[in-house]
Amino acid sequence: MFHIAQYFPITDPTLIFFVVLLIILFAPIIMGKLRIPHIIGMVLAGVLIGKYGLNILERDSSFELFGKVGLYYIMFLAALEMDMEGMKKNKSRLLIYGLLTCFIPFFLTYGMSIWLLHYSAKASFLLSCIMASNTLIAYPIVSRYGLQQKPSVTLSVGSSMISLLIALIMLAGLVASFSKHDGVLFWVFFTLKFAVYCGVMIMLIPRLTRWFLRRYSDAVMQFIFVLSMLFMSAALSQIVGIEGVFGAFFAGLILNRYIPHVSPLMNRLEFIGNALFIPYFLIGVGMLININLLFQGSHILWVVFCIAFFGTLGKAIAAYIACLGFRLPLSSGHMMFGLTSAHAAGSIAMVMVGMHLLVAPGTYLVNDDMLNGVVMMILITCIISSILTDRSSQKIILRDKELPDAEDDKKVSDEKILVPVKYPEYADNLMNLAFLVRNQKLNRGLICLNVVYEDKDMRYNQEQGRRILEHCSQLAAATDVMTQTQVRIAANIANGIKHAFNEFQCSEIIIGMHMHPEVSPKFWGEFHQSLFNGLSRQIIMARIRQPLNTLRRIQVAVPSRAEFEPGFYRWLERLARLAGNLDCRIQFHGREESLALINEYIKNRHPEVRADYTQMIHWNELPQLASQISPDHLFVIVTARKGTVSYKTALERLPEEITKYFSGTNLMIIFPDQHGDSYGDQLTFAEPQHQEEISAYESFLQWFKKKFRK
């Protein structure tokens, strides 16, 4: 009789590596659907395949090797990504807040561990070190809102560095205390060794780095050299009697100034770590977690509650004391608490150190309860941090009333429009739209692009693309507009467009909406969503069913808080030019405060444009506009990307509402400029570029509604 269980756990190294790669590939997709942080997702995947889960994989020596590398890599990258210059500007405030956010959670957690969880002094000390540090898991949210220079943010970033450094030094002392020799003489000798180690590293690594990077420019050699410095520092720290994670972190601090954040070397370091070493380490951690303990009484739930509550309470107390002491607004206190409350990879790294410290034969400092409690605490604090940081970011923007500058000459003069064209039947309307919204005074040319897949039909599609672009050039020549054309080969259409956008240094994209259900049944098609998620610059998607010069009216739906987005005046300028060139009336629907700024801009910059303004109190009123839109109107929807100040959950229903109420109308959807990396190439494991269009919960809710309507 066939028994599938006889083939598990898998012990063959090749199959183990294959299964791990499959997990690394598919876990972000699944976790994106479930809206679970990807770091936690990898740990949960490890739980599932480990001996306490489905027992699919054997935890062989590869997990030990890659796990150790991943552990050091996490701490090394954390140090490399620190803003050392920013710390020097506010030394006193940073030091005060750093000490508060380190020692208040430390002492609260220590007392809780001793009196409520009844841990030993050393186990309590380790748990306190974990809760004293924090990870800036929510920092990408701040970047999206463009608040990096706010005092609350710079204080949070600097204090996180200080608290992590102090926590690692205390951890080093804890590890050293497990030596066979103890006493005053031991600690004097340990302090001396620690000082000598730090001094040698500070003297040696910079000199070696400067010599090597000046002498050798080969990318692979530079990468290997940096890794060598990392593991040399970790190895020497272990020889001295300090845990290797401190050595890795210290190497990152020393190398910080020699590896710029936007350099190719940094990109390679992050890529290798985020693609292989760190996921491998996190999966290995998950395989050690005994999930069965969660179902053996309420004790584990009590452990999780105590660790998460007291650690988070300590961070909150520190944040609000600093906020009051530095005389910052309350919303800044919320921001400081949100940014410093999360724990992630650093906590896992420290708890793994404890799992190798023997307190008695066969007994380690960290037991299963503490390991499970720390992992669940990470999930809880990541959720709290993300929600609180997002809300406080919006409050700070609204509090400071930081509107984009309508007189910003740099933004006015940076115009260079990219027009990707795939289907010849849409080429005319897209080109005409680009002619009408461009600034004729600047006399900048258009970039026309055709991207083809690298497949068996590539040559044929290239030829078809050249013909479409030749037609586009003829249209431009007839209106005396210069054009540059390119047929590009790519394995991914969205990436092809993004790379062309960066190469030509474009300011915005005008592209046709997806209208071929036989190619993809999704509203956004195969690649449109990847495009607007991967670029923070303005993207105009158009579905024009008639010649533009026959349009009688432009109707524009403006979301609330749109005026706080950095791209507010760019899309407004484009629509004003379109209305002026077509000599048609334009009607804006939105909140009073948004309409007032639009009215002021139109009057000052385009007094010839005939504009009307209608209040739309709530975005839920959007379907009601369908009755006002005639076949010869152009309906423009100004939307927003997730995690921005004007984004609202109602925008998630936009594809359904357009399909239901506006299926036959001339339509334009605008994704305005947002704060963030315009190149879309930032790579962090905590904030991957891949985003799922709809969560699993929303899919289930839609299915449930359809099922029970019948």
Side-chain angles (χ1 to χ4, degrees):
M1 188 174 177
F2 176 74
H3 292 285
I4 193 169
Q6 65 183 321
Y7 296 102
F8 298 104
I10 296 170
T11 56
D12 180 66
T14 306
L15 283 176
I16 288 175
F17 197 73
F18 171 66
V19 172
V20 170
L21 289 179
L22 286 181
I23 293 169
I24 295 171
L25 177 63
F26 289 109
I29 298 172
I30 297 168
M31 295 306 145
K33 283 281 187 184
L34 297 174
R35 299 296 190 258
I36 293 174
H38 292 199
I39 288 175
I40 292 294
M42 286 294 169
V43 176
L44 294 179
V47 172
L48 187 67
I49 63 167
K51 66 178 179 179
Y52 299 114
L54 300 178
N55 198 25
I56 294 172
L57 289 188
E58 183 78 30
R59 196 176 190 278
D60 67 351
S61 58
S62 70
F63 286 97
E64 293 293 331
L65 175 62
F66 281 104
K68 189 66 101 174
V69 174
L71 178 64
Y72 292 163
Y73 224 94
I74 286 172
M75 304 314 297
F76 182 65
L77 287 181
L80 278 185
E81 290 170 357
M82 287 184 172
D83 181 13
M84 303 303 288
E85 291 301 318
M87 287 188 67
K88 295 175 183 176
K89 294 177 182 176
N90 299 294
K91 293 177 185 176
S92 56
R93 280 190 169 192
L94 283 176
L95 185 60
I96 293 168
Y97 184 39
L99 293 173
L100 286 173
T101 197
C102 177
F103 286 109
I104 291 178
F106 180 89
F107 289 118
L108 274 176
T109 304
Y110 188 82
M112 173 273 299
S113 302
I114 294 287
W115 294 316
L116 296 181
L117 298 183
H118 307 294
Y119 286 165
S120 67
K122 288 187 175 180
S124 299
F125 190 89
L126 174 65
L127 188 57
S128 301
C129 288
I130 291 170
M131 300 312 294
S133 66
N134 64 271
T135 306
L136 294 168
I137 198 83
Y139 189 75
I141 296 172
V142 173
S143 300
R144 283 203 299 267
Y145 286 101
L147 301 176
Q148 298 96 317
Q149 302 304 317
K150 292 291 179 184
S152 56
V153 176
T154 54
L155 280 171
S156 300
V157 173
S159 67
S160 298
M161 302 176 197
I162 293 169
S163 61
L164 180 57
L165 182 60
I166 294 171
L168 284 174
I169 292 172
M170 291 192 294
L171 179 66
L174 176 66
V175 173
S177 71
F178 278 81
S179 171
K180 294 178 182 178
H181 308 287
D182 208 341
V184 178
L185 190 62
F186 165 78
W187 285 108
V188 171
F189 186 55
F190 170 75
T191 306
L192 184 62
K193 286 193 298 181
F194 180 74
V196 170
Y197 163 77
C198 292
V200 169
M201 289 297 99
I202 291 170
M203 294 287 289
L204 182 64
I205 291 179
R207 283 171 169 75
L208 284 174
T209 303
R210 282 195 295 267
W211 174 81
F212 192 91
L213 295 183
R214 288 171 184 171
R215 190 178 181 89
Y216 301 102
S217 59
D218 182 80
V220 175
M221 291 178 69
Q222 288 187 351
F223 175 78
I224 298 299
F225 171 78
V226 171
L227 285 191
S228 301
M229 293 297 101
L230 157 63
F231 286 98
M232 178 188 75
S233 179
L236 290 176
S237 70
Q238 287 182 324
I239 292 171
V240 171
I242 309 165
E243 183 55 39
V245 289
F246 178 81
F249 184 80
F250 195 57
L253 288 178
I254 297 170
L255 288 170
N256 184 287
R257 59 172 297 197
Y258 300 103
I259 305 174
H261 292 188
V262 293
S263 65
L265 180 56
M266 185 67 171
N267 185 270
R268 292 183 195 101
L269 288 166
E270 288 184 328
F271 178 83
I272 296 295
N274 292 322
L276 186 61
F277 294 144
I278 295 174
Y280 220 113
F281 163 68
L282 295 172
I283 292 168
V285 170
M287 294 174 76
L288 295 170
I289 296 173
N290 188 353
I291 197 71
N292 300 320
L293 293 176
L294 292 173
F295 307 100
Q296 295 179 2
S298 58
H299 177 66
I300 184 64
L301 299 177
W302 173 244
V303 171
V304 172
F305 170 78
C306 287
I307 295 174
F309 177 76
F310 284 94
T312 306
L313 177 64
K315 292 292 183 183
I317 292 171
Y320 292 116
I321 287 176
C323 176
L324 292 171
F326 299 147
R327 297 182 180 180
L328 297 173
L330 186 60
S331 52
S332 295
H334 297 331
M335 172 66 83
M336 292 159 72
F337 172 41
L339 280 173
T340 59
S341 61
H343 301 266
S347 300
I348 293 178
M350 283 190 264
V351 83
M352 289 300 292
V353 171
M355 291 193 70
H356 293 92
L357 296 176
L358 272 170
V359 292
T363 306
Y364 292 92
L365 184 63
V366 173
N367 58 22
D368 287 339
D369 276 2
M370 188 190 291
L371 177 61
N372 286 328
V374 168
V375 171
M376 293 303 295
M377 174 274 296
I378 289 170
L379 177 59
I380 294 165
T381 57
C382 283
I383 293 169
I384 292 171
S385 175
S386 299
I387 293 172
L388 196 58
T389 303
D390 187 76
R391 290 183 178 176
S392 56
S393 296
Q394 295 190 22
K395 285 181 180 178
I396 288 173
I397 288 175
L398 298 176
R399 177 197 77 194
D400 295 347
K401 302 289 184 188
E402 290 193 351
L403 300 172
D405 187 4
E407 306 293 331
D408 192 342
D409 292 330
K410 288 183 179 178
K411 289 191 175 181
V412 171
S413 62
D414 74 342
E415 180 182 283
K416 186 181 277 190
I417 301 173
L418 177 68
V419 186
V421 185
K422 184 177 182 181
Y423 299 104
E425 60 268 29
Y426 305 144
D428 287 31
N429 282 333
L430 285 178
M431 291 298 291
N432 287 332
L433 178 60
F435 298 153
L436 291 168
V437 302
R438 64 185 284 272
N439 189 339
Q440 296 179 8
K441 293 179 181 177
L442 290 176
N443 198 26
R444 298 274 172 81
L446 302 176
I447 312 297
C448 299
L449 177 71
N450 180 267
V451 184
V452 301
Y453 282 119
E454 190 176 2
D455 56 17
K456 57 183 176 60
D457 300 321
M458 181 182 69
R459 297 299 178 196
Y460 171 77
N461 291 332
Q462 277 183 296
E463 186 56 37
Q464 293 296 106
R466 288 191 190 96
R467 291 179 182 176
I468 295 171
L469 295 182
E470 282 176 15
H471 177 66
C472 292
S473 297
Q474 290 170 4
L475 292 172
T479 55
D480 201 25
V481 175
M482 296 181 294
T483 56
Q484 289 177 267
T485 63
Q486 184 184 73
V487 177
R488 195 180 191 95
I489 301 166
N492 181 284
I493 298 294
N495 284 343
I497 295 172
K498 285 188 279 187
H499 292 154
F501 184 92
N502 296 329
E503 286 174 17
F504 287 105
Q505 296 181 325
C506 298
S507 62
E508 58 216 278
I509 292 175
I510 296 177
I511 190 171
M513 278 183 63
H514 172 62
M515 291 191 285
H516 286 264
E518 71 279 2
V519 176
S520 174
K522 294 181 179 179
F523 176 83
W524 296 115
E526 290 181 309
F527 63 87
H528 283 67
Q529 189 181 18
S530 297
L531 190 60
F532 62 72
N533 278 334
L535 276 178
S536 61
R537 303 303 296 271
Q538 178 168 287
I539 299 174
I540 298 175
M541 298 183 184
R543 183 184 69 194
I544 301 167
R545 301 184 182 277
Q546 66 188 71
L548 284 164
N549 57 5
T550 62
L551 295 175
R552 270 194 319 113
R553 183 183 288 263
I554 300 172
Q555 307 254 21
V556 187
V558 183
S560 59
R561 301 178 179 175
E563 66 272 20
F564 294 104
E565 300 288 3
F568 176 68
Y569 288 111
R570 187 187 293 276
W571 65 256
L572 183 54
E573 175 67 23
R574 302 301 180 263
L575 292 180
R577 284 184 203 153
L578 180 63
N581 289 326
L582 291 176
D583 195 25
C584 67
R585 189 172 291 277
I586 185 168
Q587 185 171 0
F588 294 94
H589 304 265
R591 289 274 186 94
E592 184 178 354
E593 50 272 26
S594 304
L595 296 180
L597 284 172
I598 292 171
N599 181 27
E600 181 184 357
Y601 184 86
I602 296 287
K603 278 186 176 179
N604 293 335
R605 293 296 187 92
H606 298 274
E608 75 284 356
V609 171
R610 296 173 293 158
D612 298 325
Y613 305 93
T614 307
Q615 280 204 34
M616 184 174 69
I617 304 300
H618 200 279
W619 193 256
N620 289 337
E621 299 173 24
L622 187 71
Q624 298 173 18
L625 299 180
S627 59
Q628 304 177 31
I629 297 171
S630 303
D632 56 357
H633 288 188
L634 172 64
F635 184 41
V636 180
I637 299 174
V638 180
T639 184
R641 298 167 178 86
K642 281 189 178 182
T644 54
V645 71
S646 63
Y647 180 80
K648 45 190 63 61
T649 53
L651 289 170
E652 293 181 6
R653 301 193 298 271
L654 193 60
E656 294 176 16
E657 291 177 344
I658 289 174
T659 304
K660 186 175 181 179
Y661 300 105
F662 306 101
S663 58
T665 60
N666 299 298
L667 184 67
M668 186 188 294
I669 300 175
I670 300 178
F671 289 87
D673 284 348
Q674 313 284 175
H675 288 292
D677 177 27
S678 62
Y679 297 99
D681 287 333
Q682 284 184 328
L683 181 69
T684 65
F685 196 76
E687 189 74 8
Q689 291 179 14
H690 174 78
Q691 299 288 338
E692 286 296 317
E693 182 174 351
I694 188 168
S695 73
Y697 315 113
E698 292 160 353
S699 299
F700 175 77
L701 192 60
Q702 290 174 6
W703 173 85
F704 187 80
K705 286 179 179 177
K706 287 178 183 177
K707 191 78 174 173
F708 286 90
R709 275 175 188 169
K710 297 176 182 177

